[in-house]
Amino acid sequence: MKNILIVNLKRFGDILTTANLVNSYICENPKNKVSLLIFKEFERAAKNIANVDQIFTIDREKFLTLHKNKIFSDAFSLNTLINNLSDIKSTDWDVVFNYSNDRVSTHLCSFFKNNAASTVGISFNNTCSIEYSSEWDIIFNDVITSYKYSPINFIDTYHKMANLTKAKRSAVLRTNEVHNKSAVTNFGQIRKSADGESRKIIGVQLTASTSRKELEREKLITLIDTIASDDRFVPVLLLAPTDTERSILKEVNGEFNNSLISIEADFLALNSVLMNIDLLVTPDTACKHAADLLGTPTIEISLGESPLFKQGVTNEDSLIYTNDVSTRSFSIKECSKQEQNNMITAEDIFAGIEYLLEGKNIERLSDGVTIYHPVSDKLGSRYSWFAGELNEKIEINRHIGRQFINNFFGLGEDLSIYADVGRYSKDGIASWLNTEKSVLTEFTKDLLGALRSLTGNGSSRKNEFIHNLGTLLSYCEYDGINAIPAIIFRARVEALNTSNIDHSTKEIEGLLYELKGDLQKLHKTFKSFEEFIFNKGKEDRITARKESTSMP
């Protein structure tokens, strides 16, 4: 049995995703006890997660008030916080997990280290240098945050960090029996059309945390009208019990003479709703995460700064819509400055509804729109291009970056990744390989130059080494897969705990040889990929030739 504390200082949706990890810990051993530390304002989401032993909260507003009040010193505010955490500090933990990975959570996890047999995720040492519990922490803290089109999502990375097998979904969210019975009865009535035919229910989430993530109001109304006008479907509008969302509902439903069905639900009641609809259409919201946890098929509309490749839905019966990812920024700061140009139309989304619920092929999409489909592989959930705009360079970088991670951790080849990329043009793949292999060659030369500069003495040699080290670190900014081993190397260098330049040089020499090994793994990845694609291409041509000669 393990006593586990997960520190998650994020918002509602991120709190809900913790349910994946809680579920896996409980499936590993039903006697495990998992507790959460969260901000108090998001406690409603935490109470929605099944199998949580204790929920500890930090009243952020209270401490900020004390901090800003000139009557009290900062020491008083800090002392109040420490007293607030006394129950956690006095408990012996087998695992303290830094889930949110921000500066505050890292300080807190470091504060709890003396009471923990182990920590998962980054923490600080006594000199406030970062300490990694494993190299999966580097993937989470450095690679995913630096690499624009992430090759792996957060949920799968958390499980790798904890050395946990991701458990199949079970009772991951709490439900209320009264709500469940009511939902079954009410939705049974909603399904029946006037002529007695059974219709499929489509939940439509109206809002997101920011307007940048939302479908434009005109398109939303057009989509709802298209669903409502089809005898096969019935739309149900979903909203949280807030004045803001009620106001939006009033405006939207007013377009339909207030004839639409709407459901206002808190988190606990929402679970019963999501379990009884056939499909959810939503932007990036807490509702999306709840539906994904409950296995409800979802069409996610990924707009604004929504972290598509880090936190997209993972249910394989779902689809993710996005504008051409080459035009997107996933930064809140950048998105807040840019004018949003959403190409996704109501017709595009309705085509996805018909595909998921009726099996009808998606024949066309608007220009500049891409659909992704979650699929399973060795690392977890992979976002596979499904339809629409295709940027081969970005997709190959994502997928082969994923395969490099497999090789980096000694997990072996995953041929399903190569097969996925094998759908793209051979010319595009060959061009990508030539470019990346050329960059890898230069990267290797620069690495060997850095190693040679370590062999001499004197200030000129030292300056040459510093210059060569800077050259190696510049690959972190490269827009391609070679950036991944460079980012890992940078994280290792930054984690060095020494102020002595000579001692640092010796440690960096060891890290340079580790980098050399990583570049060899990248070379192996390229070689395996190339052999799979072009040997497969030859086999395809032979098969096609045989079929053509056997035709009457």
Side-chain angles (χ1 to χ4, degrees):
M1 184 195 84
K2 295 178 184 176
N3 196 22
I4 301 147
L5 175 69
I6 299 175
V7 180
N8 187 352
L9 304 182
K10 297 293 187 180
R11 296 177 59 84
F12 288 117
D14 299 282
I15 299 295
L16 286 177
T17 63
T18 315
N20 289 287
L21 200 60
V22 174
N23 181 51
S24 296
Y25 270 122
I26 297 301
C27 288
E28 178 194 48
N29 185 344
K31 293 183 179 180
N32 282 342
K33 292 185 176 181
V34 184
S35 298
L36 303 179
L37 173 61
I38 60 169
F39 283 132
K40 188 175 181 61
E41 62 259 43
F42 305 119
E43 189 174 10
R44 288 183 291 126
K47 287 181 176 179
N48 206 30
I49 300 173
N51 300 311
V52 172
D53 185 55
Q54 294 185 80
I55 299 174
F56 300 99
T57 64
I58 296 174
D59 190 339
R60 177 164 51 173
E61 185 175 344
K62 174 183 176 181
F63 296 115
L64 288 175
T65 300
L66 289 173
H67 173 67
K68 293 176 182 178
N69 195 319
K70 294 181 180 180
I71 298 175
F72 304 107
S73 68
D74 289 347
F76 179 76
S77 175
L78 183 60
N79 190 59
T80 304
L81 174 61
I82 291 173
N83 289 337
N84 186 87
L85 300 171
S86 60
D87 287 344
I88 299 176
K89 187 65 176 170
S90 62
T91 302
D92 291 328
W93 303 98
D94 294 291
V95 178
V96 171
F97 197 123
N98 185 0
Y99 192 95
S100 50
N101 198 50
D102 52 46
R103 179 165 288 274
V104 175
S105 68
T106 303
H107 276 293
L108 289 174
C109 289
S110 306
F111 179 59
F112 302 139
K113 276 171 71 171
N114 290 339
N115 300 80
S118 66
T119 57
V120 175
I122 62 171
S123 58
F124 293 128
N125 61 18
N126 292 335
T127 61
C128 220
S129 296
I130 289 177
E131 289 186 336
Y132 297 99
S133 62
S134 75
E135 294 215 298
W136 276 107
D137 295 358
I138 295 178
I139 300 297
F140 180 71
N141 186 64
D142 297 272
V143 174
I144 292 180
T145 55
S146 301
Y147 203 65
K148 182 176 180 180
Y149 305 106
S150 177
I152 184 170
N153 69 23
F154 283 159
I155 293 172
D156 294 327
T157 310
Y158 287 134
H159 282 78
K160 298 297 183 183
M161 290 163 64
N163 196 25
L164 269 179
T165 300
K166 185 181 176 184
K168 293 183 178 180
R169 293 180 178 90
S170 54
V172 291
L173 296 180
R174 295 174 58 238
T175 60
N176 178 289
E177 188 174 347
V178 174
H179 290 158
N180 290 344
K181 288 181 178 179
S182 176
V184 169
T185 301
N186 292 335
F187 281 107
Q189 294 297 318
I190 292 171
R191 287 184 190 281
K192 293 179 182 178
S193 63
D195 56 7
E197 294 293 322
S198 179
R199 300 176 295 180
K200 292 177 179 176
I201 300 174
I202 300 171
V204 181
Q205 173 67 31
L206 299 180
T207 64
S209 58
T210 170
S211 60
R212 295 187 298 273
K213 294 183 178 183
E214 295 174 357
L215 193 65
E216 300 95 313
R217 192 62 48 81
E218 182 179 345
K219 291 181 180 179
L220 178 64
I221 290 170
T222 301
L223 173 63
I224 294 169
D225 185 44
T226 305
I227 297 170
S229 301
D230 194 304
D231 293 338
R232 298 169 296 173
F233 310 126
V234 56
V236 172
L237 310 186
L238 305 179
L239 68 153
T242 67
D243 290 338
T244 300
E245 296 207 19
R246 292 183 188 114
S247 175
I248 293 171
L249 170 67
K250 184 177 180 180
E251 180 182 333
V252 171
N253 212 351
E255 296 286 333
F256 300 89
N257 297 318
N258 296 315
S259 62
L260 299 178
I261 299 168
S262 63
I263 297 177
E264 180 180 304
D266 61 14
F267 279 114
L268 191 59
L270 177 64
N271 295 340
S272 300
V273 171
L274 294 173
M275 290 166 61
N276 283 278
I277 63 176
D278 296 285
L279 178 69
L280 173 69
V281 178
T282 178
D284 177 34
T285 59
C287 184
K288 173 199 83 173
H289 292 297
D292 203 38
L293 287 162
L294 294 166
T296 302
T298 299
I299 289 180
E300 176 184 352
I301 314 300
S302 182
L303 299 172
E305 63 268 21
S306 302
L308 163 58
F309 300 119
K310 299 175 185 176
Q311 287 187 300
V313 290
T314 59
N315 182 352
E316 293 188 34
D317 294 324
S318 298
L319 297 174
I320 305 174
Y321 279 67
T322 177
N323 294 303
D324 178 0
V325 291
S326 67
T327 67
R328 285 192 61 181
S329 169
F330 301 100
S331 159
I332 295 176
K333 184 177 181 180
E334 290 181 16
C335 285
S336 62
K337 294 178 180 179
Q338 296 175 354
E339 182 178 347
Q340 302 299 302
N341 185 23
N342 177 26
M343 307 300 291
I344 303 169
T345 66
E347 291 76 14
D348 295 328
I349 300 169
F350 190 74
I353 292 172
E354 289 192 303
Y355 170 78
L356 290 175
L357 296 183
E358 299 292 318
K360 182 179 178 181
N361 288 336
I362 298 175
E363 296 180 357
R364 65 171 302 277
L365 286 173
S366 300
D367 292 341
V369 176
T370 303
I371 302 177
Y372 288 98
H373 174 224
V375 297
S376 296
D377 66 14
K378 187 176 291 188
L379 282 179
S381 294
R382 182 175 79 246
Y383 299 110
S384 176
W385 175 82
F386 182 76
E389 199 76 30
L390 172 63
N391 186 305
E392 290 187 339
K393 177 184 174 183
I394 290 173
E395 298 307 316
I396 298 171
N397 268 318
R398 280 200 311 114
H399 289 312
I400 305 308
R402 191 174 181 85
Q403 184 59 71
F404 170 69
I405 291 174
N406 274 324
N407 288 333
F408 178 79
F409 287 102
L411 301 176
E413 303 286 336
D414 188 337
L415 297 184
S416 71
I417 295 176
Y418 294 154
D420 202 342
V421 179
R423 298 177 297 156
Y424 309 151
S425 71
K426 295 295 189 291
D427 287 344
I429 293 171
S431 174
W432 181 87
L433 272 167
N434 288 336
T435 299
E436 292 300 325
K437 287 195 293 184
S438 176
V439 174
L440 177 58
T441 298
E442 293 303 312
F443 198 170
T444 304
K445 288 179 181 177
D446 290 333
L447 169 60
L448 294 176
L451 285 168
R452 282 194 298 270
S453 65
L454 284 170
T455 58
N457 295 313
S459 59
S460 61
R461 274 295 188 183
K462 187 175 292 185
N463 290 336
E464 182 183 353
F465 168 68
I466 293 172
H467 171 76
N468 289 338
L469 184 61
T471 300
L472 292 178
L473 294 175
S474 70
Y475 284 93
C476 295
E477 307 304 319
Y478 173 65
D479 183 24
I481 191 174
N482 279 275
I484 297 179
I487 292 168
I488 293 170
F489 172 69
R490 181 181 65 188
R492 290 168 174 163
V493 171
E494 290 176 345
L496 290 178
N497 187 26
T498 177
S499 57
N500 182 289
I501 185 64
D502 293 325
H503 186 61
S504 295
T505 301
K506 291 178 181 178
E507 290 196 66
I508 290 175
E509 182 178 8
L511 297 183
L512 288 172
Y513 279 105
E514 287 187 48
L515 175 59
K516 182 180 178 182
D518 295 341
L519 295 187
Q520 289 170 342
K521 291 174 183 176
L522 184 56
H523 174 74
K524 175 187 175 183
T525 303
F526 290 158
K527 184 178 180 181
S528 299
F529 176 46
E530 189 170 24
E531 287 177 353
F532 179 91
I533 293 298
F534 293 103
N535 286 341
K536 179 178 180 294
K538 291 177 183 177
E539 293 168 5
D540 288 345
R541 286 192 291 273
I542 292 170
T543 302
R545 196 176 298 118
K546 287 180 178 178
E547 290 177 351
S548 64
T549 55
S550 64
M551 290 175 64

